[in-house]
DNA sequence: CGGAATCGTGCACACGTATGCGCAAAACTT
DNA sequence: AAGTTTTGCGCATACGTGTGCACGATTCCG
């Protein structure tokens, strides 16, 4: 049936064979020449390179992969993007991956569960490695990757699973924030956590509480749902509803996005930040730097975190049997206008 | 050199050959059986299917692509993610693409220029099609895709280039907003636009201005940089600095993210929204629904837009010679508390 | 000047899947 | 029962690249 014969001649790719014919050599010579094999003479190499440029040759990444190489693809499993921190992380990962010649393939994005489709994609496309930022169901991913020999690095998650991880020193950062607030004269604290207990959130709660306990204090625990603006807002409303005598004079939320919700709720109910209540967060997302928020927070070292994560991943791609490694990077206290010195006594 | 001989036996893939040997048939029979070729008997088909399941066989997408099929990869070129609208669009694209068995490969993300690396990736990985939301330098992408026969669909961008596009009826939506505000009794308007003139922003400005002109009015044009919160904030500050007599009583910003900046600036300078000034936007991002903003806006039909975009793309992947198509979807006015009826006379 | 070492290149095959074609056996027709 | 169609499957090859091995040509050494 020569019905669709006209569809065929449309696009003919430039391959090593095209170049080989043009140069009068074998295709293997072209392959070696372009890959800098020292066995090929300089003259031949340059001649072939010239033809390649002339024809606009681009090696087919898929064929190269099939022939035993790496695909250059890294699978991305991303958490809830309603939290701008994950968006910033995505942006940084994409930029740094591109600089290293890697292409990010999105396997999953969002807070909901990971579908079977994702797992299939992970197996069908020969992903060299995986970067995971979502905790939910990450165990399945890690498990599957482990069985198939695909290295995994967790970003911003510490896990007991077989995988390396890079994370901020959540415990230390939260503790440092607690000590800072204590030093400012605050004595009545609220701690806003998230219901969906991620390792990150738990560590921050713990670090904050422990530092307060060292000063003989205990925070009022408020939780308002998941780690989102709305969750923080709900917690803030609950706090604003307290009788003034019981109301804390400093709030620490385990994520900036929640802290912003807390601030908005407090202000909406007539409380001033920082005059009446100091508010602090963790992450340092872009929104926190807005003059209307000016949130005091613990800045996560995003760029070094991603760099370290890719370092770990690439090392394990080249040497699959390297042992798992857990990296902790210290956060930095960023002081803004949402917190304020309290007079020593009431 | 038998040095790294131990590295080889690590992971042996399950391929059609594995199954063929196990079933005592040729590999071509396996391929046909799994792809539902009617020439294979039901008995053989089932036997092979059973073995495939037992061994956990997954076809290699790369090899399949090489053999003449589609890769199942669609390239994504994304705009500035500081605008949550683009993040929402990304999320929707990922979800809908997965449902159709497509994998999104991130080619570019962010406001800055598209690097050469991106163009290379586009050629090296056999992307079936491209989805573009960024206007900056999208001409290069479209050009390259056109030459290589890769269909392109622009989302939220209308372009004169060779590509199909799906977009909201920006002109009509902005005009409808203008008529609504007029109907509420507003007479002094401000229009907040962006410096970096995207087609989207320009159309919205135009639609708003034209509808006002039809009522014999002209808006005060304010621009405060690019389409970001900070840009809106700057415009809001300029507006708040005006003497009360000259100050508009309604502002329309060409994007929600700018409108939120405007609101924050106005409130920070003591103006009440909507009591003193009504504020309206365009996009309907999640933040606009927060009780603290409650922004009146034009909702973009995100889900249908992405659906239509993928429809167009898939149609052109299967039939490359289809003519370009431009789809316009009507937005819907979403009324919230940031706008308010004005008394008929002063 | 003959043998060995070195250099540059080609042949063949591998990776995993899809498919045109051919061939044997079974089913049907006359 | 012999010929014709249909059925079910295998052989060979293509896709584009990488690489082990071998082979002819050159160079070096004695």
């Amino acid at each position: 049936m020569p019905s669709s014969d006209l569809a065929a001649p449309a696009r003919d790719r430039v391959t090593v064979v095209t170049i080989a014919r043009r140069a009068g050599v074998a295709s293997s010579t072209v392959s070696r020449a372009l890959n800098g094999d020292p066995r090929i003479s300089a003259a031949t190499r340059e001649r072939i390179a010239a033809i390649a440029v002339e024809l606009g040759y681009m090696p087919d990444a898929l064929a190269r992969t099939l022939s035993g190489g790496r695909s250059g693809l890294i699978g991305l499993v991303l958490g809830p993007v309603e939290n701008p921190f994950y968006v910033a992380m995505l942006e940084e990962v994409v930029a740094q991956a591109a600089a290293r010649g890697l292409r990010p393939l999105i396997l999953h994005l969002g807070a909901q569960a990971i579908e079977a489709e994702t797992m299939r994609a992970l197996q069908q496309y020969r992903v060299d490695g995986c970067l995971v930022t979502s905790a939910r169901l990450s165990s399945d991913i890690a498990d599957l990757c482990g069985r198939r020999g695909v290295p995994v690095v967790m970003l911003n998650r510490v896990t007991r699973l077989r995988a390396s991880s890079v994370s901020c020193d959540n415990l230390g950062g939260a503790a440092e924030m607690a000590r800072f607030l204590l030093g400012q004269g605050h004595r009545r604290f609220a701690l806003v956590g998230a219901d969906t207990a991620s390792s990150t959130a738990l560590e921050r709660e713990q670090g904050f509480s422990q530092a307060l306990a060292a000063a003989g204090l205990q925070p009022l625990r408020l939780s308002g749902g998941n780690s989102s603006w709305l969750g923080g807002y709900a917690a803030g409303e609950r706090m604003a509803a307290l009788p003034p005598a019981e109301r804390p004079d400093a709030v620490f939320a385990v994520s900036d996005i929640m802290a912003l919700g807390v601030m908005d709720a407090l202000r909406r109910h007539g409380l001033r930040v920082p005059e009446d209540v100091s508010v602090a967060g963790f992450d340092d997302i872009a929104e926190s730097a807005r003059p209307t928020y000016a949130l005091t927070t613990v800045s996560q070292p995003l760029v070094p975190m991603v760099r370290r994560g890719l370092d770990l991943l690439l090392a394990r791609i080249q040497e699959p049997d390297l042992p798992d490694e857990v990296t902790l990077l210290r956060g930095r206290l960023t002081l803004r206008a949402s917190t304020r010195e309290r007079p020593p006594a009431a």
Side-chain angles (χ1 to χ4, degrees), chain A:
Chain A
M1 233 176 281
S3 66
S4 62
D5 260 358
L6 284 187
R11 193 66 45 186
D12 29 22
R13 313 187 124 256
V14 177
T15 80
V16 278
V17 188
T18 320
I19 301 180
R21 270 202 283 269
R22 183 78 162 260
V25 296
S27 62
S28 55
T29 303
V30 174
S31 173
R32 282 191 246 265
L34 294 177
N35 290 342
D37 191 313
R39 300 184 313 177
I40 304 296
S41 71
T44 310
R45 194 201 324 272
E46 284 170 20
R47 189 161 52 97
I48 290 177
I51 298 180
V53 170
E54 180 194 349
L55 298 182
Y57 169 74
M58 294 256 79
D60 187 318
L62 277 55
R64 175 175 285 174
T65 304
L66 189 60
S67 174
R70 313 253 80 103
S71 68
L73 295 176
I74 55 171
L76 251 49
V77 179
L78 297 170
V81 282
E82 63 181 343
N83 185 345
F85 178 72
Y86 287 111
V87 178
M89 186 171 264
L90 168 64
E91 195 169 9
E92 191 59 34
V93 166
V94 170
Q96 289 197 26
R100 300 189 189 215
L102 295 174
R103 288 294 136 192
L105 185 69
I106 301 187
L107 293 177
H108 181 80
L109 184 145
Q112 69 276 33
I114 292 171
E115 328 98 38
E117 189 65 31
T118 299
M119 311 293 274
R120 284 186 37 190
L122 176 56
Q123 300 175 69
Q124 299 200 165
Y125 297 86
R126 295 206 191 159
V127 188
D128 289 343
C130 261
L131 232 45
V132 177
T133 68
S134 171
R136 304 252 300 161
L137 282 201
S138 61
S139 58
D140 292 8
I141 289 277
D143 189 35
L144 181 60
C145 286
R147 260 183 302 157
R148 302 191 61 97
V150 176
V152 179
V153 170
M154 304 263 175
L155 277 184
N156 209 27
R157 302 284 170 193
V158 180
T159 173
R160 66 220 166 283
L161 301 164
R162 174 167 157 45
S164 293
S165 69
V166 178
S167 158
C168 186
D169 177 11
N170 293 309
L171 211 75
E176 194 178 345
M177 179 63 81
R179 286 190 294 269
F180 165 71
L181 292 173
L182 283 169
Q184 275 197 322
H186 298 280
R187 286 300 174 266
R188 299 200 311 259
F189 293 93
L191 173 54
V192 175
D195 287 347
T196 57
S198 68
S199 62
T200 317
L202 284 179
E203 286 170 10
R204 293 174 187 176
E205 285 190 38
Q206 203 178 334
F208 193 77
S209 297
Q210 286 178 353
L212 287 191
L217 295 174
Q218 197 176 352
L220 170 68
R221 287 176 177 277
L222 295 171
S223 88
N226 54 353
S227 183
S228 65
W229 182 90
L230 204 59
Y233 189 80
E237 283 198 311
R238 211 169 302 166
M239 182 169 160
L242 292 174
E246 299 177 22
R247 194 181 303 133
D249 58 355
V251 197
F252 171 66
V254 294
S255 63
D256 273 15
I257 187 69
M258 292 194 86
L260 301 188
V262 169
M263 277 183 73
D264 282 337
L266 293 179
R267 285 177 172 167
R268 192 170 174 80
H269 289 81
L271 292 172
R272 292 166 305 162
V273 177
E275 290 82 358
D276 299 323
V277 184
S278 286
V279 177
F282 201 121
D283 279 344
D284 196 11
I285 59 181
E287 285 79 352
S288 303
R290 291 181 185 169
T292 45
Y293 287 123
L295 182 69
T296 290
T297 188
V298 181
S299 303
Q300 292 215 57
L302 186 57
V303 175
M305 277 172 69
V306 171
R307 176 168 31 236
R308 186 93 184 91
L310 286 176
D311 281 345
L312 287 174
L313 197 59
L314 279 174
R316 274 148 194 79
I317 287 173
Q318 283 161 8
E319 191 114 17
D321 290 329
L322 285 179
D324 292 340
E325 213 166 321
V326 174
T327 298
L328 236 55
L329 273 68
R330 283 188 63 82
R332 191 175 40 79
L333 216 59
T334 296
L335 305 182
R336 297 205 185 93
S338 70
T339 51
R340 188 191 228 189
E341 193 98 16
R342 295 280 167 237

